[in-house]
Amino acid sequence: MLKRIILYIVFLSVGLGVLFWIIKFLNWVEAKTVFYMFFSWQGAVLFGLIIMVKLSGIWKWQFILKTQGYNFPFGKIGKIWLASSTIDYLTPVALFGGDFFRIYTLKKFFPSISWEKSIASDLIDKICDLTIIFFIVVIGLIYFTFFNPFLPSKIIFVFLGIIVLFTAIFVFFYFKSHKKESILDLFFKIFGIKKEKLLKNGNGKVFLGAEEEVLNFFDTKKAFFWKGIGLTVFKYLLVLVLIIFLLYFLTGSFNVLKASAIFSFVDLAYLTPVPMGLGSLEAFQSFAFHSFGLGAEIGISFSLIFRGLEILVNLVGIIFLVTLGIRLATMRLTDLVEKISKQD
């Protein structure tokens, strides 16, 4: 636990250091642009779009739960989703971090759902996101690589390596899910773990059951798989629209392909082991905007505005995180009191 806290502080410090170093290159004109955009009709449009992104994410998770036989209220699971999403944002590698909170809170507030399906719902949600992010990153990097004549050869090889790695991971996963073959079995063989022992263990049965639920969802022959992917595409199309509008507000021009390339750099920045992508988002975007001839300063402005929108929404998530945390603590305390009273 102490090592994790130390690593978190180290990564956070590095991110803040890079962020403040990059912001030095932002002159007062760009700084005013960032400030005024938040309090203008442009800021209202962008904020409306990011709210729609978050609502579509909740809608997708609600649909996933419905495929598992649970029709939970949108508002109640929405609070859990936003709280866990805020934890994701605050932890290194922004797509992960709030999973345990989401799984645990869903099970505690809705006891009818099994642990297997609670875990599976979270995994399915994340895998759907990663699937579409994969395509965004690949399309964006391909465009960036082959339509940027000034890109150094070393950077090109790095980008091609990322594309090959991402492709290999997703081909492997979807090949296994299509054949209904356990991916956990492969890890068991690699690490010398006997599946029979896990089946005797309650926790082992839960994880194997969760994997079965995940593989059942990612069956390309079933309509609900394609609807789940469709809802994920809708969510990330909204993010792309947000980026297109923000790019237009800053540069005065529409360019969908450039926006998709910039989008891929947003995703890559949030996949770095830095909380909130501090520094990495600004560094990636200043590099991307400079490479497109739009100016590194505009890239920094883009990053600060995009980050500001995320922070505003996550402030709501923090409120839900606190209130849900208090409710969980109260429930835990009540359970302990009941156990003690029964023993007496």
Side-chain angles (χ1 to χ4, degrees):
M1 183 67 180
L2 182 60
K3 288 182 179 179
R4 291 181 181 180
I5 293 170
I6 292 170
L7 280 174
Y8 183 88
I9 293 170
V10 169
F11 284 128
L12 182 63
S13 300
V14 170
L16 285 170
V18 173
L19 176 63
F20 289 129
W21 180 76
I22 290 173
I23 286 176
K24 285 184 180 179
F25 298 97
L26 194 69
N27 61 43
W28 283 107
V29 174
E30 281 103 18
K32 286 180 180 178
T33 301
V34 172
F35 179 79
Y36 286 128
M37 189 171 289
F38 274 107
F39 300 97
S40 66
W41 66 270
Q42 296 168 324
V45 170
L46 297 173
F47 188 64
L49 283 168
I50 202 161
I51 288 174
M52 289 174 65
V53 170
K54 300 300 180 181
L55 291 175
S56 66
I58 300 167
W59 182 23
K60 173 164 66 78
W61 190 39
Q62 185 187 42
F63 169 75
I64 291 167
L65 288 165
K66 282 181 180 178
T67 65
Q68 296 180 308
Y70 301 96
N71 189 14
F72 297 139
F74 185 90
K76 289 185 178 180
I77 66 166
K79 292 177 182 178
I80 299 171
W81 190 93
L82 282 170
S84 65
S85 179
T86 298
I87 298 173
D88 286 343
Y89 185 69
L90 294 173
T91 52
V93 187
L95 277 175
F96 309 99
D99 304 273
F100 177 78
F101 178 85
R102 189 197 298 199
I103 293 163
Y104 181 79
T105 308
L106 181 68
K107 173 61 180 172
K108 287 297 178 181
F109 288 165
F110 300 98
S112 61
I113 191 170
S114 65
W115 282 113
E116 291 90 340
K117 293 194 175 185
S118 183
I119 294 168
S121 72
D122 178 71
L123 289 173
I124 292 166
D125 190 29
K126 290 295 173 70
I127 294 169
C128 285
D129 279 343
L130 287 169
T131 299
I132 304 308
I133 287 171
F134 158 71
F135 283 105
I136 292 165
V137 169
V138 168
I139 293 168
L141 290 184
I142 288 173
Y143 175 79
F144 190 83
T145 302
F146 293 101
F147 292 89
N148 195 325
F150 304 106
L151 201 63
S153 57
K154 290 181 179 179
I155 300 294
I156 291 173
F157 283 119
V158 170
F159 288 166
L160 290 175
I162 293 171
I163 291 169
V164 171
L165 177 64
F166 276 35
T167 303
I169 291 170
F170 279 92
V171 167
F172 172 76
F173 172 77
Y174 278 97
F175 175 76
K176 284 286 189 180
S177 63
H178 178 72
K179 294 185 73 176
K180 291 284 193 271
E181 292 180 357
S182 173
I183 297 170
L184 286 177
D185 281 347
L186 179 63
F187 286 100
F188 297 157
K189 289 177 183 177
I190 293 171
F191 294 104
I193 300 170
K194 292 185 178 180
K195 189 174 180 179
E196 293 75 18
K197 287 185 178 180
L198 283 174
L199 288 171
K200 292 178 182 178
N201 183 292
N203 292 331
K205 287 182 180 179
V206 166
F207 287 114
L208 289 168
E211 185 193 36
E212 188 178 343
E213 292 289 338
V214 172
L215 292 174
N216 181 59
F217 182 89
F218 286 94
D219 185 345
T220 55
K221 297 174 184 176
K222 294 179 179 177
F224 57 69
F225 163 76
W226 292 107
K227 188 171 181 180
I229 292 295
L231 289 172
T232 312
V233 170
F234 176 70
K235 173 187 171 183
Y236 284 101
L237 277 176
L238 287 173
V239 181
L240 181 60
V241 170
L242 188 155
I243 290 172
I244 290 170
F245 271 97
L246 180 50
L247 192 62
Y248 174 73
F249 293 152
L250 289 170
T251 65
S253 62
F254 279 105
N255 191 311
V256 176
L257 286 174
K258 281 185 180 179
S260 66
I262 289 165
F263 192 176
S264 68
F265 278 93
V266 171
D267 288 332
L268 288 172
Y270 281 136
L271 289 174
T272 58
V274 182
M276 299 176 282
L278 282 171
S280 59
L281 180 62
E282 286 72 22
F284 274 82
Q285 292 307 324
S286 60
F287 168 74
F289 275 72
H290 175 73
S291 299
F292 281 134
L294 299 171
E297 299 86 358
I298 302 297
I300 298 169
S301 298
F302 172 95
S303 304
L304 293 176
I305 294 166
F306 193 89
R307 183 185 301 288
L309 294 168
E310 286 276 11
I311 289 171
L312 284 173
V313 175
N314 282 314
L315 286 174
V316 178
I318 288 172
I319 294 170
F320 290 143
L321 181 60
V322 172
T323 56
L324 291 172
I326 292 170
R327 286 180 63 190
L328 285 171
T330 304
M331 289 167 68
R332 180 63 177 166
L333 184 61
T334 303
D335 290 341
L336 287 172
V337 171
E338 287 180 357
K339 285 182 181 179
I340 293 169
S341 62
K342 285 179 181 178
Q343 288 175 356
D344 293 339

